[in-house]
Structures are given as structure tokens and as C-alpha cells.
Amino acid sequence: MEQPSDTYEIITRGPEQTRALGRQTGEALTRGMVLSLEGDLGCGKTVFVQGLAIGLSVPEAIYVTSPSYALIHEYPGRIPLFHVDLYRIEDPAGIDDLGLYDVLNEDNVVAIEWAERIQEALPPEGMVIRFAMVSDDTRKISMTAYGLQAANVLRTLRE
Ligand code: ADP
Ligand code: MG
């Protein structure tokens, strides 16, 4: 990643607030955005992606679940949303087979849980979102923008 242009930090209390942050982010997203979601199990990465789907106008009847086994889920929205979870990836070199590189393009939004495992393989621009557990229902979420497109999303969140 290049030099970060901006960071936005927020505390959420309960999953609804994390989902709301995801929704606001999804509303502001433009095509080609890659979101790297980092943090321990149970920190709220998947909850955040549920909000992203709402913000990207994925039909409500389609429920966003963890892609831990399939590794990649696709959701039809205003922009196609791909949700990736690399938790179970054993060999980061083997992700070619997943089709991840086929979906990382200017047409889509790609949200990747445990993206730190393939950091070198990701494009230089995008957003890194770190989730930290503060207490049972409190999370610290730190969003760092790399490049102009991501910085614009953070600007919208601050408004
Ligand atoms: P991850 O994908 O990071 O492993 P999940 O999103 O699947 O985590 O799960 C987060 C869990 O934490 C859910 O059970 C959710 O209800 C709970 N939770 C409690 N407080 C929060 C919060 N502030 N934000 C997100 N999730 C929360
Ligand atoms: Mg998850």
C-alpha cells in the first residue's frame, strides 16, 4: 500500500451500529473499491459487510452470511459486491484458484476478511478497516484510505 491519505476512527456499541457504518460506507462506494477487513474472529467484519450490502442496495431478501466455506460470495447490488473470507486459506499462494483475481477489477466492490494474509497481492489503493474488540458489545473500527477514491468515501462518512 502507498502512504495512507486519511484515517477515520469510530467506536460502535452493538452490531446495529457497525451495520449502520457499513451501510453508510456502502452508500458512498464507487466501482473498483477494495476493502481489506482485519481483526480477530467475532470482531464484526461480517456484520460490517451486511451493512455494506444494504448500502449497495442488495435486495433485502438476500441474507449476507460468512463465506468461510465457499470463500467468495457474490451479491447483486448497485455495484456487484464480492465478499471474501480468507480465514481458512491454507496456502496464500493458492488463492489464484479461488478466482479472487478475476473479481478484483473496476466493475466490482470487493470486501476481504483476513486480507492481511494476501497483502502483497492486493492493489495499492483501497481501504483498510481494522476491527478491535473493546468489550462484549463495543468495537473500535479504524478505517484508513489509500488513494483518492477511498479518501472520498471517508470524507462522506465524516459529513
Ligand atoms: P467476524 O466476521 O469479524 O468474525 P462477525 O461479524 O461474524 O465477526 O461477528 C461479530 C459478533 O459480535 C456478532 O455476534 C455480533 O452480534 C457481535 N457484536 C457485538 N457488538 C458488536 C459491535 N459493536 N459490532 C459488531 N458486532 C458486534
Ligand atoms: Mg466473518
Side-chain angles (χ1 to χ4, degrees):
M1 295 266 178
E2 56 183 43
Q3 284 288 98
S5 42
D6 198 9
T7 295
Y8 176 61
E9 216 169 71
I10 186 170
I11 301 276
T12 64
R13 295 182 172 83
E16 277 316 319
Q17 289 189 3
T18 297
R19 218 171 269 123
L21 178 67
R23 175 179 51 70
Q24 286 180 292
T25 304
E27 284 168 357
L29 287 181
T30 48
R31 282 180 194 274
M33 181 64 67
V34 177
L35 303 123
S36 300
L37 310 178
E38 306 183 357
D40 291 339
L41 273 183
C43 265
K45 302 181 293 298
T46 297
V47 167
F48 180 86
V49 177
Q50 289 169 348
L52 276 185
I54 298 167
L56 287 164
S57 306
V58 171
E60 264 178 61
I62 303 178
Y63 192 66
V64 173
T65 55
S66 176
S68 299
Y69 295 94
L71 299 173
I72 299 187
H73 285 170
E74 178 179 3
Y75 299 98
R78 168 172 74 75
I79 305 168
L81 168 65
F82 288 85
H83 182 196
V84 184
D85 188 339
L86 300 176
Y87 183 61
R88 274 164 215 280
I89 196 89
E90 281 172 8
D91 176 13
I95 55 162
D96 298 21
D97 306 333
L98 276 179
L100 176 59
Y101 296 119
D102 298 331
V103 305
L104 282 169
N105 62 48
E106 289 305 310
D107 294 330
N108 304 321
V109 164
V110 184
I112 310 171
E113 298 191 33
W114 300 95
E116 58 267 45
R117 299 195 170 172
I118 56 157
Q119 201 165 29
E120 330 67 55
L122 292 176
E125 296 205 346
M127 202 179 289
V128 175
I129 308 177
R130 294 195 177 85
F131 295 75
M133 210 169 299
V134 178
S135 71
D136 267 5
D137 65 349
T138 308
R139 304 290 185 267
K140 190 174 93 179
I141 302 173
S142 165
M143 308 172 78
T144 301
Y146 294 83
L148 204 60
Q149 196 184 359
N152 283 335
V153 175
L154 292 195
R155 189 171 323 133
T156 310
L157 289 179
R158 282 203 183 87
E159 279 169 5

